[in-house]
């Protein structure tokens, strides 16, 4: 098989056009990480494809597709639970659009950690939805400029854009991750490994995800029935997850 790779540039209209184009070119199968799993036009384009489709961390109920999913909720829940156990209560989750499954699952894990600790999730400073690094930066600056008694003592970045925005805001305001506020990021990006202090993360194995998707699509081409595979995420405690100010260690 020859692999054809195309990007929609995060535009739902272009995404639909590309799926339609690939169908017209009679490709054998699709592996899709869609802009949204709420898009009616994308749903219709997938439904019209009539050949094997593997979704990457997306959910389109009632479509006959296979899927490779990540357990974002458990990883985010583990990180939030760790922060709560260290005395944090005002934790800001800055994450992406709820139009995709990873965001919804991260929010679910975040809120579940509060409930399991017997704490009302409303005590969290905020769950902020952002659509770019610049939006994440603006939101983080807004929260970090609050009076100390109201400012978050910890941040969780739910995605790459949120991570970039939060780190830019901290640098701009002279706030140090781990010393002034605790920080957990989602996705253990290579450039984060050389940063000091080392940043706590909820990681996923992108290579495993790609391999699982390839195995799945080849199996479907061989006549198997569409199914779902759930892959884990892992919380890594590093130097930016510290006790909240004033808490008992």
């Amino acid at each position: 098989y020859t692999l054809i790779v195309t990007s929609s540039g995060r535009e739902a209209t272009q995404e639909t056009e590309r799926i339609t184009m690939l169908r017209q070119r009679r490709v054998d199968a699709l592996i899709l990480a869609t802009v949204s799993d709420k898009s009616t036009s994308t749903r219709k384009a997938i439904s019209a494809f009539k050949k094997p489709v593997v979704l990457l961390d997306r959910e389109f109920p009632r479509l006959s597709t296979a899927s490779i999913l990540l357990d974002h909720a458990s990883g985010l829940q583990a990180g939030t639970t760790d922060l709560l156990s260290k005395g944090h209560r005002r934790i800001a989750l800055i994450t992406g659009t709820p139009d995709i499954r990873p965001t919804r699952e991260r929010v679910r894990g975040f809120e579940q950690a509060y409930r399991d600790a017997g704490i009302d999730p409303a005590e969290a400073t905020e769950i902020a939805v952002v659509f770019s690094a610049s939006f994440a930066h603006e939101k983080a600056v807004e929260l970090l400029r609050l009076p100390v008694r109201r400012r978050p003592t910890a941040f969780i970045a739910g995605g790459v854009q949120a991570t970039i925005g939060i780190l830019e805001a901290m640098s701009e305001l002279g706030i140090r991750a781990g010393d002034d506020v605790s920080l957990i990021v989602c996705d253990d990006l290579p450039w984060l490994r050389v940063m000091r202090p080392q940043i706590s993360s909820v990681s996923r194995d992108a290579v495993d995800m790609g391999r699982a998707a390839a195995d799945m699509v080849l199996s479907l081409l061989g006549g198997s029935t569409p199914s779902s595979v759930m892959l884990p995420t892992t919380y890594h405690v590093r130097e930016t997850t510290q006790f909240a100010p004033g808490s008992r260690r």
Side-chain angles (χ1 to χ4, degrees), residues 76-154:
L76 207 292
Q77 184 175 343
T80 307
T81 297
D82 186 33
L83 290 172
L84 292 171
S85 73
K86 289 179 166 67
H88 295 275
R89 293 297 179 267
R90 299 189 307 277
I91 305 170
L93 171 61
I94 298 182
T95 189
T97 170
D99 287 348
I100 57 173
R101 178 184 178 276
T103 296
R104 298 192 297 271
E105 288 297 291
R106 285 165 178 158
V107 170
R108 184 169 70 85
F110 180 73
E111 293 179 337
Q112 188 60 52
Y114 270 83
R115 285 191 289 269
D116 288 350
I119 305 168
D120 185 347
E123 288 193 27
T125 306
E126 191 161 351
I127 299 175
V129 174
V130 297
F131 300 96
S132 67
S134 61
F135 276 109
H137 168 265
E138 290 174 10
K139 191 63 189 179
V141 168
E142 175 190 326
L143 293 171
L144 289 168
R145 282 179 171 165
L146 290 172
V148 173
R149 69 180 184 280
R150 292 174 50 208
R151 191 175 75 186
T153 58

Side-chain angles (χ1 to χ4, degrees), residues 196-244:
R196 295 295 181 271
Q198 292 184 318
I199 299 177
S200 300
S201 70
V202 177
S203 67
R204 54 181 169 176
D205 192 321
V207 173
D208 276 357
M209 190 176 190
R211 184 181 293 113
D215 287 343
M216 179 72 77
V217 80
L218 291 171
S219 178
L220 293 172
L221 287 167
S224 67
T225 302
S227 60
S228 293
V229 172
M230 182 74 74
L231 300 177
T233 59
T234 306
Y235 171 54
H236 299 280
V237 186
R238 298 193 180 104
E239 296 171 326
T240 59
T241 308
Q242 299 294 334
F243 282 83

